[in-house]
Amino acid sequence: MILPIVLYGSKVLREKSVEIQNITRPEVKKFIRNLYETMRGAQGIGLSAPQVGYAVKAFVVDATPLYDEEENPDESVKDFVRTFINPEIVEYKGEKINYEEGCLSIPGVRANVVRPDIIRIKYYDEEGNFYDEEYDGMVARIIQHEYDHLLGILFTDYVKGLKKQLLKSKLNRILKGKTQANYKVLPKEKAPLLRSV
Ligand code: ZN
């Protein structure tokens, strides 16, 4: 089921997410399936639970649309589809990389964000399997962006100074409900704030 995506200004996007209990429950599996459907329906490459109104620790990533044999022959994104439940990034390292990001909750806004190239993350999938893995490059960036959502952080928070001023009018348009998206969205007044799945 495709869920509506909550927009910038929604309280749930500023919450600290809570852990999901008993992660192998069918309700959790269904929720994760809905996250994938919603992400793909909106042509996103990552989607976190807060973006559909749940302040719980889960996000999904499907980096495969980024792969292109000619334009972007990056093997690390080629088959990268992962579910992250109760994740914890335990290490950030490597070079600091500046790269442009966007967010399904902030349509029409893109900005450069500096992030470390490498992370180490511990997490579970929807089958209850535990992982402790290191990622770098594009995949590490997507994971950091989605993980930030669980902490109530948005990529626009990293934009400072004059560049932030330039973003303000676009962000205000979203706050006023004037922004269009080609997927189902909920304005901040209608966004739910749920703390369990
Ligand atoms: Zn986002």
Side-chain angles (χ1 to χ4, degrees), residues 171-187:
L171 294 175
N172 282 332
R173 281 181 63 81
I174 301 176
L175 291 176
K176 288 177 186 157
K178 287 183 183 165
T179 295
Q180 306 279 324
N182 55 3
Y183 42 88
K184 220 182 347 165
V185 294
L186 278 181

Side-chain angles (χ1 to χ4, degrees), residues 2 12 42 54 61 77 93 109 117 143 145 154 175 181 187 192:
I2 291 182
V12 64
Y54 289 76
V61 175
V77 299
K93 56 189 179 183
V109 175
D117 187 37
I143 291 170
H145 175 117
L154 301 171
L175 291 176

Side-chain angles (χ1 to χ4, degrees), residues 63-76:
T64 59
L66 297 175
Y67 184 81
D68 186 291
E69 216 170 308
E70 313 260 289
E71 303 286 323
N72 186 30
D74 176 352
E75 290 292 324
S76 70

Side-chain angles (χ1 to χ4, degrees), residues 9-189:
S10 302
K11 191 164 181 292
V12 64
L13 293 178
R14 292 307 189 181
E15 290 291 303
K16 293 227 187 312
S17 288
V18 297
E19 287 206 342
I20 296 180
Q21 305 300 322
N22 306 321
I23 53 182
T24 54
R25 279 178 295 134
E27 294 81 8
V28 178
K29 281 208 177 69
K30 189 175 165 210
F31 178 69
I32 296 297
R33 266 204 311 276
N34 290 343
L35 274 184
Y36 276 111
E37 258 187 68
T38 304
M39 170 180 67
R40 288 170 177 147
Q43 294 182 311
I45 51 174
L47 187 68
S48 66
Q51 292 180 274
V52 293
Y54 289 76
V56 300
K57 290 187 178 175
F59 60 85
V60 296
V61 175
D62 181 351
T64 59
L66 297 175
Y67 184 81
D68 186 291
E69 216 170 308
E70 313 260 289
E71 303 286 323
N72 186 30
D74 176 352
E75 290 292 324
S76 70
V77 299
K78 196 175 176 186
D79 304 306
F80 196 88
V81 179
R82 295 274 194 295
T83 303
F84 295 84
I85 297 175
N86 296 341
E88 191 188 354
I89 295 183
V90 293
E91 218 176 333
Y92 292 88
K93 56 189 179 183
E95 250 184 283
K96 299 269 193 295
I97 311 271
N98 196 14
Y99 197 83
E100 193 183 61
E101 295 186 18
C103 181
L104 293 174
S105 292
I106 316 177
V109 175
R110 300 194 67 83
N112 276 8
V113 178
V114 176
R115 295 191 190 270
D117 187 37
I118 306 167
I119 54 151
R120 187 174 147 218
I121 185 167
K122 298 181 177 184
Y123 65 99
Y124 294 86
D125 68 13
E126 63 272 59
E127 307 297 334
N129 301 308
F130 175 75
Y131 302 87
D132 179 346
E133 294 175 331
E134 206 167 272
Y135 292 114
D136 65 4
M138 183 54 68
V139 157
R141 174 165 295 268
I142 302 168
I143 291 170
Q144 288 177 70
H145 175 117
E146 300 309 329
Y147 186 78
D148 273 355
H149 276 297
L150 308 185
L151 304 172
I153 299 168
L154 301 171
F155 81 98
T156 47
D157 298 346
Y158 296 107
V159 183
K160 302 279 184 236
L162 182 60
K163 283 188 177 143
K164 186 61 172 256
Q165 289 306 313
L166 294 170
L167 280 188
K168 277 269 162 66
S169 65
K170 283 184 179 174
L171 294 175
N172 282 332
R173 281 181 63 81
I174 301 176
L175 291 176
K176 288 177 186 157
K178 287 183 183 165
T179 295
Q180 306 279 324
N182 55 3
Y183 42 88
K184 220 182 347 165
V185 294
L186 278 181
K188 62 182 196 297
E189 298 79 14

